[in-house]
Structures are given as structure tokens and as C-alpha cells.
Amino acid sequence: METTASSTADESPLVLLVQPLFPEFAAALAGRYRFVLAADADPAAAAEARVLLVPGLAPVTAQHLARLPALELVVGTSAGVDHVDLDTCRNRGLSVTNAGPAFAVDSADYAVGLVVAVLRRVAAADAYVRRGRWAADGDYPLATKVSGKRVGIVGLGNIGSRVARRLAAFGCAVSYHSRSPKPSSPYTFVPALLDLAAGSDVLVLSCALTDETKHMVNREVMEALGKDGVLVNVGRGGLVDEPELVRCLRDGVLGGAGLDVYANEPAVPPELFGMDNVVLSDHRAVVTPESMRGVLEVITANLDAFFSGRPLVSPVQLCTLNKR
Amino acid sequence: MPEQRLQDIASAVLRRGRDARRSPARGQLTAHSELTLPNAASAFHLSHVDDSLAHPPHNDQPLPPRTHHNHLPPSVPAAAMESLGVLLLHPMNAYLEQELDRRFRLIRLWDSPPDARADFLRSNAAAIRAVVGNAGYNADSALIDALPALEIVASFSVGIDRVDLAKCRERGIRVTNTPDVLTDDVADLAVGLAIAALRKIPQADRYVRAGLWKAKGDYTLTTRFSGKRVGIIGLGRIGLAIATRVEAFDCPVNYYQRTKKEYPNYTYYPSVVELAANSDVLVVACPLNEQTRHIVNREVIDALGPKGVLINIGRGPHVDEPELVSALVEGRLGGAGLDVFEDEPNVPEALFTLDNVVLVPHVGSGTHETRQAMADLVLGNLEAHVLKKPLLTPVV
């Protein structure tokens, strides 16, 4: 099915794209919607478009949104929507949807994998073996136990609650910090992030990046987590003061880190490359066929709901984000 | 000085030392410093323990004077403890070595050059009543034969496949191991390896460190861990701890072992091949013995298949290693997370270029916390033996 820049007799609803769809998505959604790249849209299409689909994490700015007067819905394909100008969306009364829980399972699994990998030095020990050092230099130094560690989770949403359940099964004591306590949760709520850090051996970041949460993990928090403490980030790089993180790791103020996200991807601070107490990953926590299928279902469900006037499946609550 | 004369002196000194230790008067123990013979033949060992001991001392260095740090109150048990000659087979743990030296009479096997080992054992045989081994070095048939005074083997491991149990039973030698204290560590690692192998965590780390992550849109697809069917060979302490963890990932749990038990949530398979055929992740968690050697063979590997992942936290010989390597290299097996190998510390180099395997150097119990607990169990078992109390964790 061709995607043309102008309206045709095709009855499929028009959906503008911020960037091209992943091939898998394009194939799955072909025939149901008429996709046009926003940058290529002719004036008629731009004036008509009610939906903007955001594959990937390309920024959606006020300027992008200003070109689309009929816009009503921004469909995200990720868990985090910090790359979308949410202030503008709120002011214009736009709806925004995200990936909902589609990525939560894989994010949580990956976070746990990073916790074990950092504490037990799995990646460093693997490198040790591959370099032939086991035969040459003897046994790998002792690491530290995962079971029984005190874990603090920042953000007990879809991802955080799954991380909690998994690490509890490893015998970890789980506490959490979030905007408000979750009464149905069996875990201990800690109102202040600094207190959570001080009382934890491992701090896992699984919350949204907003004006409030930007750089929430600063020097003070890292000092509180401490020289034996470990930070794991599967949220957004912006949650952490990255230059300070590098200094704290370099100076032994912080014990270790497992990072899937960074302030300025794909740039990763090269000082981290020489550290054995750090596990680095290329923002792949959710890159599984299962998550891709899941997000496709959510996108399709949101688009179908929108075009048939039904409630959206995974709307983002704009009024509670970016409060000043 | 002629070799024989040196040996005579060493033997006389050894006897005097034993007699001195048997005396309840504390003052006698300081006579040890008189027994120091710099550059003596290593009939007995006089070195103090270096806390930073990472490598065995070279034998051409002069032996430093023995320093005593005895914290036990004056008592018969103290003397009895001190008279227990303990042969430590390998510098496996600094704390353990230090405590063995402090509480008992420590003899370090690596003090003798490898080619003079038989003589070393002969010279010390009368004194050696206990052996402390581990997964890699233990009281095998030859060693037991060389130690007529051996009463107890206290292994710094839970697996005692390298102890000749039959011979120990024959000779009435007790054997202890270190169960339970390392269960959590091994289970944590097993699940960590499974996630690392399926999600390619070490590969991501290598990729980023090599500067290969150039574009935000680069992506490597890996498969989800949650919900994968986990098949466990051996649902003992470690197997059950693994099952508990993977249940939190909504993984269906299957198992095989010699006897089926009533686990409402776990599915029993009567053979390892059937277990492998019905699992996505196969975990080896049983003891190594004659029946379980190569329990993961070609047939099992084929049944696990090109999307299957093998996790071995048992012993290298549980798996037919050449078959495993060729299956991984050829893509007939999807991936592996391996903590143990047939010929440690040698790992088949064909595995080094594979991104779907995770290789770690037998670190299953390799945490400060657990090794301390294991050492305390070894020490506790030896003390119980000396005091004629029930052993803490006997196998034989």
C-alpha cells in the first residue's frame, strides 16, 4: 500500500509520522492507516491530521505541534514521553499515549539482570575469562551477595513494581520512593529519596523523567548510597547528574553502577570503560520481539480506540506531570 | 649440611614442638620461636599468615619466624585444637587459612615443590589428621592413601565429587561439606546467568566499551526472559532456590531428578531429554557422581535446541563439553551461561567469540559473605571433630 503525500480515495485514517516506522511496525499496520511522514506532508495533510505517531525517541517540539492545527492525539511508542513537549500538549488539550505496560516486563528483567551483573561482576568476570586471565592470573576476586541486599526502587509503576517482585524473590528487602505511596503495595514507602538512598544497598531507577525528577540522583544521593552502594538505571539518563556519577564512581564515593540509559545517547562517558564495577548497556532493556509485539498491540489499540471514539488504552496523565 | 642430618633435626624439632604443645602451661607455646630454622627443609611449615595472600610463597624464600596469635583461653581443648594437623590443599581463602593457622596446626600443601610432594606428605603424614579441600583440589584416593593418620576431610565446598567417599567410608574417615550457606549465591548466579545469556548483557557491555554504539537507533534484538520455561536438573537446595526466583518472572518450572516429589507448581519429567525438550532454559543443579557425569549429552543438547539455553552451575563434567562447544558454534544450541568447565581454569577458546554465551570462572559461591560463612563451617566442623561433638554438616 503506498503512502502518498496527498489525500487519495483511500479511506484509511491519516496518521502522521515523526520519523519512519520500524519495518516490523510498518508491515503490521499496513492497510489499516494511511501513514505520511510529517516532514513530507502537503498543506492539506498537515491541516487534516488528527494523530501524530512517534516511532522511537525523536523529539516532538512545540514547533512540530504548531504545524498541525487539527491535531488531537500524540501516540508514543515508548514508556517514557519526556521527548515530547508535554506542556504544549497540555495547553492545547491534546491527548498523549505511551507504550503502557508493553515494555514493563523486559525493562524489569533487564534491571534485575543489571543488579546481579554489577554485584556479582558477571560482565567483568566474563571479560576476565575471555582474555585468558583465569588460567594466567588465577581465580577472580570475590564479589558481593545479591540475596539479602536492601533494594530501593524509585518509581513503583509498571516497571518498578515488577522489579520489586523479582528482587523480593532473590531475598532482597525492597523499599520504594514515588510521588505518593501505593497502599496496595507490600513494600515500604520512603517519602524522601535521600532517605531511600541512605537505607539501600542498591538503588533502581524506574520512574519518568520530568522537570521534577531531572537530576534527582545528585551527589548527595550518591554519597548516601555510598561506597558499597550500586545504582541501576533503566529509566532515563537525565534522572542522574551524569558527570557527578562519573566522579563518584572514579573516586569510590559510589560502589558501582548498571546503566542502560545516558544523558546524551549514544555518547557514554569513556571514563566508565575502564571500570569493573560498572555494567554498560546500549539502551536495549526493551528491545525484544515480545516488547515490540506488545507495543504494536498498544499502538494499534490506541489508534483504533481514537478513530472509533472509544477511550484511549494508555493515556499519559498530563496534569500530574511537569508540575511547577 | 647433609640432607639426612637436616631431616633428623627437622624430625627432632617436630617431636619437641608436639610435646611442647601438649603441655597445658601456656608459656611452653612460646618455645615455638626456638623451633624456627631459617631455610630448613620444609618438613614442617613455620610461616606466618599474610592476610593479603593471593599466591603461595616461593620456596626459595627464608621462612619467617612463626608468630602466635592464640586467643583461646588456656584449656585442654585449646591444646587439642592445636594438635590437629590440618593439611590445606590450596590457598583457597585468606580468612580460612589464617584461622586454620590460628586454631590448629596448619600444613600448607603448596609449601612443597610439586616434584617433592610425595616426600613432603611422607614427612608430615604422622601429623596430618585433617584435610581441607575445595571444588578443585580434594582428598582423592592417592592423597588418602598417603595419610594414614587422616580422620576427617572438611571440604570448602558443597560438591564433594573429588573426595573418594568410598575410601573414606572404608577407613572411617569423616567428610564434611558446606551446604546451605552458599545456596543463595549459587541460585542468584544461575538466574543472573540466564538473564545475562538471553539478554546478552556482557555483549552489550563489550559493545559499548568498544565504542561501537554509534547511533541511538542501533539495536540488538534479544529475547525476553520472563515466561521462559525453566527446566531444572536436580531440585535440591539449590534447584529449589532457583525455582523460587524464576517463579517471580512467571517462568513455568519443570524438573528432573531420580525421584518425583509432590510439587504442585512444578512439572516433573521422567528423563533429562524430555525435560530439555519441554524447556527453554535448562539448569544443571544436581551433585556430580557416576550417574550424573555427562548428564547433558548430545541428545539433551539437541532436545534443548537452537533457541534453548543451558545454564551450568554444577560441575563441568555434568556436560559433554566438546559436544556443547560444537553445538554452540554451529547454532544447534541457542546459548549458554557457564560457571564450570571440565578442565578449570581452561575454557574452550572457541567460546570466546560467541555473543550468546556468558562465561564466568567458577564464581558460584564467590562472594565475601558466603566464603566467610563457608570458612566458618569448615572451622566449626573441625572443632566439633576435635571436641568429639556431632559434626555440623557431615556427608560421611
Side-chain angles (χ1 to χ4, degrees):
Chain A
M1 112 132 236
E2 69 248 30
T3 53
T4 57
S6 56
S7 303
T8 64
D10 186 346
E11 295 295 335
S12 307
L14 172 66
V15 175
L16 289 195
L17 299 170
V18 172
Q19 63 190 63
L21 283 167
F22 297 131
E24 300 87 350
F25 286 17
L29 295 168
R32 307 178 59 163
Y33 305 100
R34 185 160 47 100
F35 291 108
V36 172
L37 265 182
D40 295 345
D42 65 9
E48 177 196 335
R50 298 166 65 204
V51 178
L52 182 67
L53 175 59
V54 191
L57 300 174
V60 178
T61 64
Q63 286 87 336
H64 291 126
L65 297 170
R67 290 190 212 118
L68 307 172
L71 192 65
E72 295 172 49
L73 170 66
V74 176
V75 177
T77 59
S78 53
V81 285
D82 48 283
H83 54 295
V84 177
D85 185 332
L86 298 176
D87 282 340
T88 301
C89 291
R90 190 187 323 109
N91 294 338
R92 281 182 53 178
L94 305 180
S95 298
V96 179
T97 59
N98 68 355
F103 292 153
V105 169
D106 287 323
S107 283
D109 289 354
Y110 208 79
V112 174
L114 285 176
V115 169
V116 179
V118 177
L119 288 174
R120 296 295 298 270
R121 297 283 192 267
V122 174
D126 178 280
Y128 188 83
V129 171
R130 282 173 205 253
R131 286 184 201 131
R133 293 188 62 191
W134 193 12
D137 298 340
D139 283 341
Y140 193 77
L142 297 181
T144 183
K145 203 168 167 170
V146 173
S147 294
K149 285 290 187 286
R150 300 164 304 166
V151 173
I153 301 178
V154 183
L156 205 72
N158 283 321
I159 300 171
S161 59
R162 286 172 172 81
V163 174
R165 178 179 165 220
R166 285 150 174 72
L167 288 176
F170 278 74
C172 294
V174 177
S175 307
Y176 70 99
H177 167 74
S178 59
R179 282 170 304 188
S180 55
K182 320 271 175 187
S184 56
S185 160
Y187 311 112
T188 305
F189 174 68
V190 180
L193 175 61
L194 199 57
D195 292 335
L196 184 71
S200 298
D201 305 303
V202 180
L203 197 67
V204 179
L205 305 184
S206 49
C207 62
L209 177 62
T210 66
D211 291 339
E212 281 176 327
T213 62
K214 187 171 164 72
H215 285 198
M216 71 189 317
V217 177
N218 53 20
R219 171 105 190 177
E220 218 190 339
V221 168
M222 287 186 264
E223 278 176 352
L225 191 48
K227 64 173 182 53
D228 295 322
V230 168
L231 178 71
V232 169
N233 192 0
V234 294
R236 282 290 180 269
L239 293 169
V240 179
D241 179 345
E242 197 164 271
E244 197 57 60
L245 170 68
V246 175
R247 275 191 290 272
C248 285
L249 286 167
R250 182 196 65 202
D251 300 337
V253 170
L254 181 65
L259 308 171
D260 190 45
V261 287
Y262 310 85
N264 190 26
E265 296 169 17
V268 176
E271 298 97 298
L272 300 178
F273 294 175
M275 298 182 186
D276 268 4
N277 55 341
V278 170
V279 178
L280 302 170
S281 169
D282 53 339
H283 203 157
R284 67 168 58 179
V286 305
V287 185
T288 67
E290 293 89 347
S291 271
M292 296 300 114
R293 267 198 296 278
V295 78
L296 200 54
E297 277 169 21
V298 171
I299 292 166
T300 309
N302 278 307
L303 289 172
D304 284 350
F306 176 78
F307 285 115
S308 50
R310 286 182 280 109
L312 297 169
V313 163
S314 58
V316 174
Q317 304 300 325
L318 294 181
C319 54
T320 55
L321 284 175
N322 287 342
K323 262 195 308 212
R324 277 217 172 267
Chain B
M1 195 180 281
E3 177 77 86
Q4 185 54 55
R5 179 84 183 112
L6 203 58
Q7 288 286 8
D8 289 347
I9 291 173
S11 302
V13 157
L14 189 66
R15 272 196 306 277
R16 210 186 323 148
R18 260 207 314 274
D19 293 344
R21 275 188 226 94
R22 282 202 193 105
S23 163
R26 197 82 331 235
Q28 289 287 351
L29 286 168
T30 58
H32 273 225
S33 57
E34 297 164 17
L35 306 179
T36 304
L37 291 175
N39 297 316
S42 51
F44 60 103
H45 186 74
L46 293 172
S47 161
H48 70 276
V49 175
D50 180 0
D51 273 340
S52 64
L53 199 75
H55 300 283
H58 293 290
N59 288 300
D60 53 2
Q61 288 169 1
L63 296 169
R66 183 179 197 150
T67 47
H68 242 281
H69 304 287
N70 199 319
H71 300 271
L72 293 171
S75 62
V76 169
M81 296 290 177
E82 287 258 331
S83 76
L84 183 79
V86 180
L87 179 68
L88 181 60
L89 299 185
H90 188 67
M92 53 193 73
N93 181 270
Y95 165 75
L96 174 65
E97 187 174 332
Q98 174 185 287
E99 288 301 305
L100 287 171
D101 194 28
R102 194 170 72 75
R103 304 183 204 192
F104 309 107
R105 193 180 145 219
L106 177 61
I107 298 156
R108 297 172 178 81
L109 181 62
W110 63 95
D111 272 349
S112 80
D115 52 354
R117 200 97 341 141
D119 286 338
F120 179 84
L121 289 174
R122 235 189 317 271
S123 315
N124 288 286
I128 295 172
R129 293 164 51 207
V131 163
V132 173
N134 69 351
Y137 302 81
N138 231 322
D140 60 12
S141 179
L143 184 67
I144 296 171
D145 282 342
L147 302 174
L150 187 59
E151 298 165 8
I152 178 169
V153 175
S155 190
F156 185 65
S157 67
V158 68
I160 29 107
D161 43 283
R162 291 203 174 178
V163 177
D164 189 329
L165 295 175
K167 186 152 274 192
C168 287
R169 285 190 189 98
E170 252 174 60
R171 286 214 5 214
I173 297 168
R174 307 300 308 275
V175 178
T176 66
N177 64 348
T178 59
D180 295 318
V181 295
L182 47 61
T183 299
D184 282 336
D185 261 2
V186 178
D188 290 347
L189 184 70
V191 181
L193 284 176
I195 300 173
L198 278 168
R199 303 301 312 274
K200 297 200 168 87
I201 292 179
Q203 181 267 331
D205 187 75
R206 286 195 293 277
Y207 184 75
V208 173
R209 284 173 203 254
L212 295 173
W213 189 22
K214 303 277 193 229
K216 215 163 150 180
D218 284 351
Y219 60 91
T220 304
L221 265 181
T222 58
T223 185
R224 170 173 294 183
F225 173 68
S226 279
K228 287 291 188 287
R229 300 165 300 166
V230 175
I232 303 175
I233 304 174
L235 217 53
R237 286 173 289 247
I238 293 172
L240 280 171
I242 293 169
T244 302
R245 283 155 176 74
V246 302
E247 281 185 292
F249 294 79
D250 295 321
C251 294
V253 174
N254 307 320
Y255 72 103
Y256 163 80
Q257 57 188 26
R258 277 169 311 179
T259 52
K260 179 181 178 191
K261 298 225 175 112
E262 285 316 307
Y263 291 112
N265 296 337
Y266 308 151
T267 305
Y268 177 75
Y269 285 93
S271 74
V272 181
V273 172
E274 284 168 86
L275 179 69
N278 288 281
S279 302
D280 304 303
V281 178
L282 185 67
V283 184
V284 183
C286 59
L288 179 66
N289 51 44
E290 281 152 30
Q291 293 80 42
T292 61
R293 192 174 178 282
H294 283 198
I295 196 171
V296 176
N297 55 17
R298 167 93 187 214
E299 211 192 342
V300 170
I301 291 168
D302 285 345
L304 192 49
K307 297 205 168 121
V309 170
L310 176 72
I311 303 298
N312 192 1
I313 43 86
R315 286 285 182 266
H318 274 126
V319 177
D320 182 338
E321 197 161 278
E323 278 297 341
L324 173 67
V325 173
S326 65
L328 286 165
V329 165
E330 292 164 24
R332 290 182 285 110
L333 180 63
L338 306 171
D339 186 38
V340 288
F341 304 86
E342 289 214 84
D343 180 34
E344 295 171 17
N346 300 307
V347 176
E349 288 187 15
L351 298 176
F352 292 177
T353 53
L354 299 180
D355 283 341
N356 57 340
V357 306
V358 180
L359 308 165
V360 289
H362 205 151
V363 294
S365 64
T367 66
H368 294 285
E369 299 93 333
T370 292
R371 291 289 168 85
Q372 164 112 17
M374 288 165 64
D376 287 338
L377 254 189
V378 168
L379 297 162
N381 274 303
L382 291 173
E383 286 186 342
H385 176 71
V386 169
L387 297 174
K388 297 186 175 18
K389 293 193 173 151
L391 299 179
L392 305 179
T393 48
V395 177
V396 172

